[in-house]
Amino acid sequence: MKKINKVVIAGGTHGNELTGVYLAKKWMKDKEVLQRRTVDTDVIFVNPKATDIMKRYVDQDLNRSFLLKDLSNESLDNHEQKLARVLSKKIGPKGERNQNFDFVIDLHGTTSNMGVTLILDNQDPFTHALAGHLQKINPMTRIFVDADATEDAPFITSILPRGIVVEVGPIAQGVVDAHIFLETEKLVYQMLDFINEYNLGNYISNKKELDVYKKIKSIDYPRSDDGDITAMIHPALQGKDYSKLKNGEPIFLDFNGNEILYQDEEDVYPLFINEVSYYEKGIAMVLTEKMEIKI
Amino acid sequence: MKKINKVVIAGGTHGNELTGVYLAKKWMKDKEVLQRRTVDTDVIFVNPKATDIMKRYVDQDLNRSFLLKDLSNESLDNHEQKLARVLSKKIGPKGERNQNFDFVIDLHGTTSNMGVTLILDNQDPFTHALAGHLQKINPMTRIFVDADATEDAPFITSILPRGIVVEVGPIAQGVVDAHIFLETEKLVYQMLDFINEYNLGNYISNKKELDVYKKIKSIDYPRSDDGDITAMIHPALQGKDYSKLKNGEPIFLDFNGNEILYQDEEDVYPLFINEVSYYEKGIAMVLTEKMEIKI
């Protein structure tokens, strides 16, 4: 396999997720800490205009703006549509054979109680090996496989064939939390160390499986005709990301105190429970199945 | 003392603090649950325009817009300045002898780990009795006295001589958290019950003191020349609202891992640690002294 010599870190892809914003600002002043013998790493503070107004985005979710058909459509000209084209050229370009980087790490925060979560958008063996290594040195590292992701995904990580999303929470938008900052920083250094060892041929693993949570589907909040939510995540489920949800257990509580029970497939594990930016996407949580994948 | 027969509840004074927004919406549909024998209660969803854009405010912080000199200045015409005049007329008017309500309860959320906090902006004996009662039935109820507040404060509660701010956290802006929703709801019902008993002459207390945290001053984050923060709340202090901060203990951690120690007055208790909306106000935390006040 081609070595991973050029890595790019994206911080602040969502303007109000400040862990990535301040890690990017830190590393832009001091790129030395990111360099490894065989790995040259660059960092991008992705959407400063969104950070200025302390919003996820200015016009539309940047991290849903990287479909090839959108990148090639010059008539799409709002802030994030234009920014996506700039970033694709800088990091990729997406879809081209010769690209500027070999691997992208995209840093995010979530209001859900998801701890350290890695999101894999692809089926790349190297990325699986990396995730397996991180899970080995920190067994609390969770891996989410978004089954919807295809080769042409709308995410910034889709620019390159290889990349990973880091999602650490719970953290409110607009704040820096030192625990989460330090956890994310450490994780990035562990990734770069691994990439270097891998390039040097020092990576040997007898790990054949990866424990992952694979998306089944997402569930929306109960809503009124005008689209407003009519219930909240049940207090017994709030913060219980990655715990098994059983048939008949309460899932929502309406504002009058009535419980709404989960009555669907067995053995599901909800993630992104009560993630703030998913209210507008119609997602109260993402249901997953726990499984092993061969690596 | 004059009876408290007309109470008004303000929800969503800050548009993205959703506990108050959804409690207001709930109660607007069902005001019956708020009525008591001697208490007629109304509820206002304060700033729907700010909620629509999921921001604290549209143009300026509404809850700093109620100074008498601003309310009487018709040339001030941004969204919150105009809204403040409308609310003053509806609830008060502020400064007039005959007012439409006797007591205002203003509902807020905070990203700080402050649990259930009552904020007193005034020196009113009735409000002190109410706070003492709530502290008695739930000893974890904290009371913050903002020493800066004068008779003419800029807060919505300043419209009336009597009022209280309810601040429950930690909660991210833009989310509804059932634990915090239910806690806040219960607290409002306890307040209304107390007001009714007080009106009926059934309130007898041998409580002579109130345990409060009184503001000394606020502290800002370390910042660069361009105003950006250069450090975050130290992980050992994050979430430690209402715990004693001692001289020499770490207070901030800069992005390169250097600790900044607290070196100032002894025996202080920080509140509003890492409150998201205070970054722009230059407040990393509010230092208080713990004291008893006579009631």
mmCIF file of all heavy atoms in Angstrom, chain B residues 26-36 39 41 189 192:
data_model
loop_
_atom_site.group_PDB
_atom_site.id
_atom_site.type_symbol
_atom_site.label_atom_id
_atom_site.label_comp_id
_atom_site.label_asym_id
_atom_site.label_seq_id
_atom_site.Cartn_x
_atom_site.Cartn_y
_atom_site.Cartn_z
ATOM 1 N N LYS B 26 -45.383 24.949 26.630
ATOM 2 C CA LYS B 26 -46.270 23.993 27.317
ATOM 3 C C LYS B 26 -47.353 24.734 28.093
ATOM 4 O O LYS B 26 -48.548 24.427 27.978
ATOM 5 C CB LYS B 26 -45.428 23.145 28.281
ATOM 6 C CG LYS B 26 -46.226 22.291 29.262
ATOM 7 C CD LYS B 26 -45.336 21.810 30.418
ATOM 8 C CE LYS B 26 -46.157 21.237 31.552
ATOM 9 N NZ LYS B 26 -46.481 19.823 31.393
ATOM 10 N N TRP B 27 -46.953 25.706 28.885
ATOM 11 C CA TRP B 27 -47.892 26.378 29.777
ATOM 12 C C TRP B 27 -48.840 27.319 29.024
ATOM 13 O O TRP B 27 -49.947 27.579 29.477
ATOM 14 C CB TRP B 27 -47.127 27.127 30.865
ATOM 15 C CG TRP B 27 -46.494 26.210 31.868
ATOM 16 C CD1 TRP B 27 -46.969 24.996 32.302
ATOM 17 C CD2 TRP B 27 -45.262 26.414 32.585
ATOM 18 N NE1 TRP B 27 -46.111 24.444 33.240
ATOM 19 C CE2 TRP B 27 -45.056 25.302 33.431
ATOM 20 C CE3 TRP B 27 -44.302 27.442 32.602
ATOM 21 C CZ2 TRP B 27 -43.955 25.172 34.271
ATOM 22 C CZ3 TRP B 27 -43.201 27.315 33.445
ATOM 23 C CH2 TRP B 27 -43.028 26.195 34.260
ATOM 24 N N MET B 28 -48.390 27.831 27.877
ATOM 25 C CA MET B 28 -49.299 28.673 27.091
ATOM 26 C C MET B 28 -50.493 27.855 26.595
ATOM 27 O O MET B 28 -51.584 28.377 26.415
ATOM 28 C CB MET B 28 -48.544 29.314 25.922
ATOM 29 C CG MET B 28 -47.655 30.469 26.385
ATOM 30 S SD MET B 28 -46.345 30.902 25.204
ATOM 31 C CE MET B 28 -47.298 31.857 24.017
ATOM 32 N N LYS B 29 -50.248 26.555 26.374
ATOM 33 C CA LYS B 29 -51.341 25.663 25.949
ATOM 34 C C LYS B 29 -52.181 25.200 27.130
ATOM 35 O O LYS B 29 -53.302 24.728 26.941
ATOM 36 C CB LYS B 29 -50.750 24.419 25.258
ATOM 37 C CG LYS B 29 -50.306 24.667 23.841
ATOM 38 C CD LYS B 29 -49.887 23.329 23.203
ATOM 39 C CE LYS B 29 -48.842 23.572 22.125
ATOM 40 N NZ LYS B 29 -47.771 22.580 22.154
ATOM 41 N N ASP B 30 -51.628 25.246 28.324
ATOM 42 C CA ASP B 30 -52.305 24.711 29.500
ATOM 43 C C ASP B 30 -51.924 25.538 30.725
ATOM 44 O O ASP B 30 -51.050 25.162 31.505
ATOM 45 C CB ASP B 30 -51.895 23.233 29.699
ATOM 46 C CG ASP B 30 -52.493 22.645 30.977
ATOM 47 O OD1 ASP B 30 -53.479 23.210 31.498
ATOM 48 O OD2 ASP B 30 -51.954 21.620 31.461
ATOM 49 N N LYS B 31 -52.604 26.682 30.852
ATOM 50 C CA LYS B 31 -52.274 27.571 31.972
ATOM 51 C C LYS B 31 -52.831 27.080 33.298
ATOM 52 O O LYS B 31 -52.441 27.564 34.359
ATOM 53 C CB LYS B 31 -52.808 28.990 31.686
ATOM 54 C CG LYS B 31 -51.921 29.757 30.718
ATOM 55 C CD LYS B 31 -52.325 31.225 30.627
ATOM 56 C CE LYS B 31 -51.597 31.859 29.450
ATOM 57 N NZ LYS B 31 -52.171 33.129 29.038
ATOM 58 N N GLU B 32 -53.750 26.107 33.230
ATOM 59 C CA GLU B 32 -54.405 25.629 34.449
ATOM 60 C C GLU B 32 -53.410 25.136 35.497
ATOM 61 O O GLU B 32 -53.579 25.378 36.679
ATOM 62 C CB GLU B 32 -55.397 24.501 34.107
ATOM 63 C CG GLU B 32 -56.758 25.005 33.677
ATOM 64 C CD GLU B 32 -57.328 26.037 34.649
ATOM 65 O OE1 GLU B 32 -57.484 25.703 35.837
ATOM 66 O OE2 GLU B 32 -57.590 27.183 34.222
ATOM 67 N N VAL B 33 -52.367 24.418 35.024
ATOM 68 C CA VAL B 33 -51.413 23.825 35.980
ATOM 69 C C VAL B 33 -50.656 24.889 36.766
ATOM 70 O O VAL B 33 -50.024 24.589 37.777
ATOM 71 C CB VAL B 33 -50.395 22.884 35.281
ATOM 72 C CG1 VAL B 33 -51.103 21.675 34.691
ATOM 73 C CG2 VAL B 33 -49.580 23.612 34.216
ATOM 74 N N LEU B 34 -50.729 26.130 36.285
ATOM 75 C CA LEU B 34 -50.009 27.212 36.967
ATOM 76 C C LEU B 34 -50.888 27.957 37.972
ATOM 77 O O LEU B 34 -50.395 28.809 38.717
ATOM 78 C CB LEU B 34 -49.489 28.231 35.942
ATOM 79 C CG LEU B 34 -48.470 27.730 34.924
ATOM 80 C CD1 LEU B 34 -48.126 28.846 33.946
ATOM 81 C CD2 LEU B 34 -47.212 27.228 35.621
ATOM 82 N N GLN B 35 -52.191 27.682 37.957
ATOM 83 C CA GLN B 35 -53.077 28.466 38.820
ATOM 84 C C GLN B 35 -53.107 27.896 40.242
ATOM 85 O O GLN B 35 -53.062 26.685 40.447
ATOM 86 C CB GLN B 35 -54.491 28.520 38.231
ATOM 87 C CG GLN B 35 -54.539 28.973 36.763
ATOM 88 C CD GLN B 35 -53.644 30.163 36.442
ATOM 89 O OE1 GLN B 35 -53.633 31.171 37.157
ATOM 90 N NE2 GLN B 35 -52.859 30.056 35.369
ATOM 91 N N ARG B 36 -53.159 28.808 41.205
ATOM 92 C CA ARG B 36 -53.316 28.425 42.615
ATOM 93 C C ARG B 36 -54.471 29.266 43.163
ATOM 94 O O ARG B 36 -54.861 30.263 42.567
ATOM 95 C CB ARG B 36 -52.022 28.698 43.411
ATOM 96 C CG ARG B 36 -50.792 27.924 42.919
ATOM 97 C CD ARG B 36 -50.930 26.429 43.151
ATOM 98 N NE ARG B 36 -49.757 25.678 42.670
ATOM 99 C CZ ARG B 36 -49.583 25.230 41.432
ATOM 100 N NH1 ARG B 36 -50.505 25.464 40.504
ATOM 101 N NH2 ARG B 36 -48.505 24.548 41.110
ATOM 102 N N VAL B 39 -53.364 32.729 43.487
ATOM 103 C CA VAL B 39 -52.340 33.185 42.531
ATOM 104 C C VAL B 39 -52.795 32.947 41.095
ATOM 105 O O VAL B 39 -53.099 31.812 40.720
ATOM 106 C CB VAL B 39 -50.986 32.450 42.748
ATOM 107 C CG1 VAL B 39 -49.883 33.124 41.929
ATOM 108 C CG2 VAL B 39 -50.611 32.376 44.212
ATOM 109 N N THR B 41 -51.476 33.118 37.350
ATOM 110 C CA THR B 41 -50.156 33.150 36.711
ATOM 111 C C THR B 41 -50.269 33.185 35.198
ATOM 112 O O THR B 41 -51.057 32.451 34.607
ATOM 113 C CB THR B 41 -49.318 31.921 37.143
ATOM 114 O OG1 THR B 41 -49.188 31.942 38.564
ATOM 115 C CG2 THR B 41 -47.947 31.925 36.504
ATOM 116 N N TYR B 189 -43.450 25.014 40.122
ATOM 117 C CA TYR B 189 -44.648 24.617 40.877
ATOM 118 C C TYR B 189 -44.442 24.815 42.378
ATOM 119 O O TYR B 189 -45.353 25.256 43.089
ATOM 120 C CB TYR B 189 -45.026 23.154 40.584
ATOM 121 C CG TYR B 189 -45.391 22.881 39.132
ATOM 122 C CD1 TYR B 189 -45.160 21.634 38.546
ATOM 123 C CD2 TYR B 189 -45.977 23.871 38.329
ATOM 124 C CE1 TYR B 189 -45.491 21.383 37.224
ATOM 125 C CE2 TYR B 189 -46.300 23.626 37.002
ATOM 126 C CZ TYR B 189 -46.060 22.376 36.453
ATOM 127 O OH TYR B 189 -46.385 22.141 35.145
ATOM 128 N N LEU B 192 -44.905 28.480 43.093
ATOM 129 C CA LEU B 192 -46.308 28.901 43.072
ATOM 130 C C LEU B 192 -47.038 28.394 44.317
ATOM 131 O O LEU B 192 -47.861 29.118 44.901
ATOM 132 C CB LEU B 192 -46.994 28.405 41.792
ATOM 133 C CG LEU B 192 -46.422 28.984 40.490
ATOM 134 C CD1 LEU B 192 -47.074 28.331 39.279
ATOM 135 C CD2 LEU B 192 -46.581 30.509 40.421
#
